Amino acid sequence: MPSILLGNERNISSSKQEVQLTLSATNLPNTKGLLKGVSDPYAIVTILADKSGSQSILLGRTETVKNNLSPTWTKAFVFDYELSKRMYINIGIFGEIRKAKRNKPVGSATFEIGDILGRPENCRGKRLKQSDGVVYAMIKPAPKSPAGTLYLELRGLNLRNVDRGPLGLGKSDPFFEVSHRDEQPGGKVIWTVVSRSKHIKSNLNPTWKPVEVTLNRLCDNKQNQPIRIAVLDWEKNGNHKFIGAVEVTLDVLVRAVNHDMSVKDGKTHLDVDNTFTLTHFGSKVSRESGSLVVTNAVINGAAQDPQKETLISFKPSGDLHLEIQGKKIKNVDRGILGIGKSDPFFEVSRQKYTDGKLASWSTIIRSEHINNTLNPCWRSVRVPIDRLCDNNHDAPILLSVYDYEKDGKHQFIGSVETTVTILRILAADTHSSSRKLISDDSRGLHIKGRDKHVSGLLVIKSATLSVRSDSTRTFEPSDLSVRSNSIIATETKRPPRQQRPTFLEYIMGGCELNLCVAVDFSGSNGNPMEKGTLHYMRDGAPNEYEQAITAVCSILAKYDYDNKFPVWGFGAKYDGVMQNCFQIGKEAEGLEGILQNYKSVFSTNIIMSTPTVIHPVIKVAASQARESQKQANGKGKQAYTILLILTNGCVSELEETQQALLNSSTAPLSIVIVGIGNNDFSAMKHLDNLDVTPPERDITKFVEFRAFQHDRGALAEATLDEIPDQLVDYFFDNDIRPLPATSDEVRSKINILPHCDTTHFDVEMNFNEDGTMHIADDADFRRRSSRQYMKS
C-alpha cells in the first residue's frame, strides 16, 4: 500500500493557519438505478500531492446522507493553509451500497484553495464530469485552539406525529439537527446545520445517540449566541418533514441538564416542567409540536471570549477526570435464550434539592455503554466539579450503573453514594506501589440494587483534577477567598482585551488584495534582442521576468475580485523623455493579461535607458493603496495592496527610495522586490532591512530569483511569506477589525466552475473490510499531479 500521511501527522509552522472545509452538492446523478431508490452519497477529501516526492494527505470522509441527491454534509475537515502555496484538494463522491465491498463512484471535483478563498463568499461550486451535478466547497476559519466541544444528548417527548401512513397507524421517524446562526446584511438570518443525529424509527418519544460539535462551528464560542435545534421526520426520498424547532442559547442548554432528568429510588424521572417546547410555525399560527429534554450537555475545552467585559461570579474550579472499571456487574439482560449479557453504562449525579430538602439526584454526565459484558472498562469521562458538587469535594455524589436499551428504557443495576475525596483516595490506592497487596474490594465501591443486595463492583482506575477556564469564566488570584474545599470568586470588571486577528479572518471577511506589477526596463538589463540578456524572449521558454511574474502573480491574482491589475514600467524613455513610472496598456485581466502587457512593451518605441529609479513607482502604489482602502471603507469593505517590483538591482537614488518606503509604510501596502539576474543586490537587501519605528511598518521583502530558479513553489513561498503579518499589522495597528466572515450565500450567487480535464484528477480509492481506506496508487498520482498542476 502506498504511503499516506494522515491529517494529524502534519507538521505545523508559525506561517500556517488552519482552515475548515465543509461540503454540499446539488443534482447528483442517481447511481442506484431505475426503481431502486435514491443514492446515499458521501464524500472523501484528499489533499493532492503538489510535486514529485511529496505525499497525498487523505483527510477522511463525510457522513452518509441517506436518499438525497442534493446533500449538505455536516462533517468538517481541518487542514493547514499558506498564502504562498498552491494547494489542490480532490473531492470524490460515492454512493454507499450496504454490504458491498466497493461503493459506487458518483463523480469527483478538484479545487485549488486560492480559488475558493479568493471569492467574496469563500465558496466555489464545480460541475461534475458529464453530469449536471455540482459540488460546493466552502472554507471558514478553523476553531481557534483550544476549541471547545459540546457533548449533547437529547430526548423527545410527545412529538407531533407527521407520518401516520396510509392506514393512519404509522409514527414519525424523528431525528434532530443543530444549527449555527448567521445574520446577513439587512437582518436576514440563515441557519446552517452543523450536526445531525441518527433517526429513530416509529417513535414519538425517542432517545437519540449523543452528538458532538465544536463551539466554534456551533456558536462562535459565544455562550449567549442563539442556536437552533430542529426535529424532523426522516423520509427515504430525502424530503424530510419538519416537526418543530426551538431557539436556545448554549448557556441555557447546559444549565437545563441539571433539572431535566433525575434518579429517585433507582428509577429515571423527567422533570417535564423544565423541557424545551418545540414550535411549528405555519402560515398563520404556531402550534406546539412536542418537547425536547436535555439528558446530557457537557462542554469540554471551551476557549475564553476575549470581548467579554464582565466576568461572571462563580466558584473557579476544574474538571474531574474519572476512569472506572466494572467487575462482576449483575446480569439483568439474559435475552430470549438466557445466554445474553448486560450492556452496562454508568452515570454520575449530584444532589437536587427542593425547598431545602433532598428531592432526588440529577444526572451530570453519562458514560458510553459497552455491549455484552459484565466486566466493562469504560473510557475516561470529564466532569465539571462546580456542577457536580459546587467544588465541595466532600459533598455526596451518586454513581449509578444501568443496562442500556435501544428504546431508552434502561434497566437499573445498582448505585452507590460517594464523594470526590473518596474517589481520589481510591484512585491513589489503585496506582499505589503496593497495589498488588490491595484487593479489588478495597480499591472499589460496591453498588447495590433496589433489593439492597450487592450488584457489582466499581474499581476507580483514575480520578484526577485539572484546572479549567471556560469561555465565560475566569478569575484573578486577588479575587479569591478559600472556604474549606470551596473557592469563591467575586464579580470582576475589566476592559475588553483586543486579541490580534489572523490573516484568514480578514480574507474571509472579504478583504480584497489588489495586485500591482512594476517591471524594470532599464538599459542594465541588456538588449532584449540578444541571447543571454534578461528580457530576451526565447522560443517557447519564458525568461526570468516571466517566470517570476508567473510564480508570484498566479497566487495573488486569485484574491483580487475583479481580476484586473495595473502593470507599470520604469527605467525607459518614450519619445526621448525619461519615464520612471509609466502605464503599460490597459489594466491586465488575469495572469495571462499581465504577461501579455509585459511582452507588448517591446513592440513600442521604447528606449531602455538609465538610471534605474523605483521610488516613483512606490509613491504611486502607496497613493493607490490609500485610495482603494478609503473607497472600500466607504462601502463597508476592506482593501489591501501588494506591489510586485521586478528589477535587475542597479537602483539609483537610494536615499529617496528609503524615504519613499518609510512614507509608504503607513499605507495598506506590502512591497515584494524580486531581483532578476546576477547583479550585486546589496542595495536591495539594505532596503529589506530598514530600521522602522512605530507607526512605521516593515513592508518590504526582497528575494533573489536565481536562488529559487528551479523551484517556483519555493520562490512564491519566499516572496509572499511576510504578507499575512504585514496585512494584519496594518489593520490591527489602525484598530480595524476583520469584517464578519461571509456566511452561506444562496447557491445562485456562487460562482460555478465547469469541469476541466486539465485541472482535474480522479483519485482511485481502495476500501478495506474494516472500513478504512487508502489511495490506490499514490506514486502514479504524484508523478501525474506534479506535471499537471505545477507546470503553470
Side-chain angles (χ1 to χ4, degrees), residues 452-503:
K452 307 303 181 183
H453 293 156
V454 172
S455 53
L457 179 72
L458 299 181
V459 178
I460 311 304
K461 306 286 288 184
S462 176
T464 59
L465 292 175
S466 64
V467 176
R468 169 169 52 85
S469 176
D470 61 34
S471 60
T472 60
R473 300 175 176 182
T474 187
F475 62 94
E476 298 292 342
S478 59
D479 300 328
L480 304 183
S481 61
V482 179
R483 299 180 187 172
S484 181
N485 288 322
S486 298
I487 306 178
I488 310 298
T490 59
E491 184 178 282
T492 306
K493 289 188 177 181
R494 64 185 66 160
R497 294 174 295 169
Q498 293 293 312
Q499 188 176 43
R500 179 182 170 88
T502 66
F503 172 73

Side-chain angles (χ1 to χ4, degrees), residues 59-78:
L59 290 182
R61 60 162 284 178
T62 66
E63 77 279 12
T64 300
V65 178
K66 300 289 187 181
N67 303 298
N68 199 326
L69 300 182
S70 295
T72 297
W73 293 286
T74 62
K75 167 74 174 180
F77 301 91
V78 175

Side-chain angles (χ1 to χ4, degrees), residues 85-287:
K85 289 186 177 180
R86 282 183 293 178
M87 176 184 290
Y88 293 85
I89 57 171
N90 178 271
I91 300 168
I93 301 178
F94 296 82
E96 186 174 73
I97 302 175
R98 292 184 180 180
K99 300 180 181 179
K101 292 183 178 180
R102 184 178 183 84
N103 294 321
K104 195 164 185 177
V106 175
S108 65
T110 301
F111 293 87
E112 203 280 314
I113 297 301
D115 285 332
I116 303 173
L117 290 175
R119 303 303 303 169
E121 61 274 9
N122 304 317
C123 183
R124 268 272 168 120
K126 203 160 193 179
R127 202 167 297 281
L128 300 178
K129 186 176 182 180
Q130 297 178 343
S131 168
D132 291 331
V134 177
V135 180
Y136 295 89
M138 171 170 278
I139 289 182
K140 292 184 178 181
K144 292 182 179 180
S145 181
T149 301
L150 172 67
Y151 175 92
L152 180 64
E153 289 185 58
L154 296 176
R155 294 183 67 172
L157 193 64
N158 300 323
L159 298 181
R160 183 167 61 94
N161 192 1
V162 297
D163 189 10
R164 296 187 181 277
L167 301 178
L169 302 176
K171 292 182 180 179
S172 299
D173 307 323
F175 67 95
F176 70 84
E177 293 179 336
V178 186
S179 298
H180 173 274
R181 186 179 190 272
D182 289 309
E183 186 167 346
Q184 301 291 296
K188 180 181 179 182
V189 174
I190 293 177
W191 294 98
T192 304
V193 177
V194 295
S195 185
R196 183 184 295 121
S197 74
K198 301 282 188 180
H199 71 275
I200 298 178
K201 291 185 177 181
S202 302
N203 196 327
L204 302 181
N205 295 280
T207 298
W208 291 288
K209 290 185 177 180
V211 298
E212 287 187 84
V213 58
T214 61
L215 300 188
N216 182 278
R217 293 191 69 206
L218 177 63
C219 57
D220 302 317
N221 269 335
K222 298 174 183 177
Q223 67 160 356
N224 291 320
Q225 178 170 305
I227 61 178
R228 184 175 186 261
I229 304 175
V231 179
L232 301 95
D233 170 43
W234 185 84
E235 296 292 338
K236 288 184 178 180
N237 60 10
N239 297 323
H240 310 305
K241 297 177 182 177
F242 182 74
I243 295 176
V246 61
E247 290 184 28
V248 66
T249 65
L250 181 66
D251 181 57
V252 171
L253 192 68
V254 172
R255 291 178 188 274
V257 75
N258 288 332
H259 307 285
D260 289 336
M261 188 174 73
S262 58
V263 178
K264 188 175 183 180
D265 298 328
K267 296 181 180 180
T268 301
H269 299 270
L270 295 178
D271 183 355
V272 296
D273 293 330
N274 201 43
T275 59
F276 295 105
T277 300
L278 296 169
T279 304
H280 179 274
F281 295 95
S283 57
K284 295 182 179 180
V285 297
S286 63
R287 60 182 184 274

Side-chain angles (χ1 to χ4, degrees), residues 519-528 533-535 545 569-573 578-580 582 601-602 606-614 646-652 679:
V519 182
D520 183 353
F521 292 103
S522 64
S524 56
N525 285 279
N527 186 346
T533 59
L534 298 178
H535 283 298
Y545 278 95
F570 58 90
K573 289 183 178 180
M578 189 67 189
Q579 301 285 346
N580 287 317
F582 58 89
V601 171
F602 300 104
I606 186 174
I607 298 175
M608 302 176 74
S609 185
T610 58
T612 304
V613 179
I614 64 172
L646 301 108
T647 177
N648 75 335
C650 300
V651 176
S652 302
N679 285 334

Side-chain angles (χ1 to χ4, degrees), residues 302-314:
Q304 186 174 345
D305 183 354
Q307 302 301 316
K308 204 73 177 176
E309 290 190 37
T310 302
L311 306 179
I312 297 175
S313 175
F314 83 113

